[in-house]
Amino acid sequence: MQNRVALVTGAGRGIGRASAKTLAAQGARVAVTARSQDELSSLVDEIQAAGGTALAMVADLADRSAPAAVLQQVRDAWGPVEILVNNAGIGSSANPKPLVDFDDDFWDLTFAINVTAPYLLTKLALPEMIRRGWGRIINIASINAKVPSVHGAAYTASKHALAGLTKAAAIEVADTGVTVNAVCPGVTRSLMNDKRLEYDAQRTGVSFEELERQASPLGRRLEPEEIAAAVAFLASDAARAINGQTINVCGGRVMV
């Protein structure tokens, strides 16, 4: 992965941050984007302190013009993106509601970030990957791409859509040297998931700590670094025969 140009979206914290650090540790030049300058600045500092190379770009991917602008900034600095990690997302914890009461604007926002942004980034990054005969696109989906989330209709539907986008892109590039895959994390420790567990604790009467224990057969939540390890493998040459897959990293919670 030495000197490969990578872009990780939603890299300010959680899985995106861990993925950026892991890719940088393996030699990639990593461009990172999120909405918070402070989070990105601290991430770049950490990567550089460890001897890596990083570039921060503040962007709101709900804006349809943002993907093209982000890719152009990377291209101007280092050249075309070779590894694209579509991690930016909004979870059900931001506005959980039963389907009959669901907020239509939140539905639209969820699809803008979880589906349309990865679609646009993939569409714009693919031509150069195909021309060069090498590329990796890794979408961060969820086990909710396979099983539903209570009071999370938009999240569940958007992650199913992202899994479909993954497969549609993968079949089109299968003979080009480019692969497109998705990682489907289970319940992973993050600020977003903290809020979801707090909501579920209030909804069910089960304590936060017990919900953590029930999060996986491991008796705990997953750690972002455990998801990042799968991302880094899929970005490597060793994963060249893996294409169009939605790979669970969930401690055995979903065996599909």
Side-chain angles (χ1 to χ4, degrees), residues 93 95-97 150-151 193-211:
S93 61
N95 195 0
K97 282 184 171 65
V150 175
H151 296 178
N193 186 245
D194 285 348
K195 293 178 180 178
R196 176 68 206 204
L197 290 189
E198 288 166 3
Y199 173 76
D200 285 339
Q202 183 179 29
R203 178 178 64 85
T204 65
V206 178
S207 72
F208 185 100
E209 293 74 19
E210 181 58 28
L211 289 173

Side-chain angles (χ1 to χ4, degrees), residues 207-232:
S207 72
F208 185 100
E209 293 74 19
E210 181 58 28
L211 289 173
E212 276 195 303
R213 284 192 289 271
Q214 296 174 6
S216 78
L218 303 176
R220 61 173 176 85
R221 290 190 281 179
L222 279 294
E223 298 295 337
E225 292 76 14
E226 293 172 311
I227 314 303
V231 171

